[in-house]
Amino acid sequence: MALSDDIQFADIERQYGLSEKAVKALMRDTLKPGSYRSWRKRVRVFSDRREHYK
């Protein structure tokens, strides 16, 4: 779910009970370093855009 661009951390927490910090730690441990950095950049960009759309 975390790799999907349209899923918010709140949705993951509601469904799986993992906080945003826990999801980031899990992704850091699971993904390659470059993939993790790309994912974090994407998440930041999409979360910034989401604020403007609401």
Side-chain angles (χ1 to χ4, degrees):
M1 275 181 86
L3 287 175
S4 178
D5 293 335
D6 59 333
I7 303 294
Q8 296 180 359
F9 286 114
D11 296 333
I12 295 172
E13 186 168 12
R14 215 174 300 117
Q15 188 166 353
Y16 296 103
L18 293 172
S19 67
E20 180 177 346
K21 189 175 182 179
V23 171
K24 289 177 186 176
L26 177 66
M27 296 299 277
R28 190 181 309 112
D29 292 341
T30 306
L31 297 175
K32 295 177 186 176
S35 298
Y36 175 76
R37 284 191 297 272
S38 296
W39 173 74
R40 284 295 298 136
K41 184 177 179 182
R42 248 187 22 250
V43 167
R44 266 185 250 118
V45 168
F46 280 107
S47 66
D48 291 345
R49 286 184 191 165
R50 234 181 247 127
E51 293 298 320
H52 295 295
Y53 293 137
K54 288 185 179 183

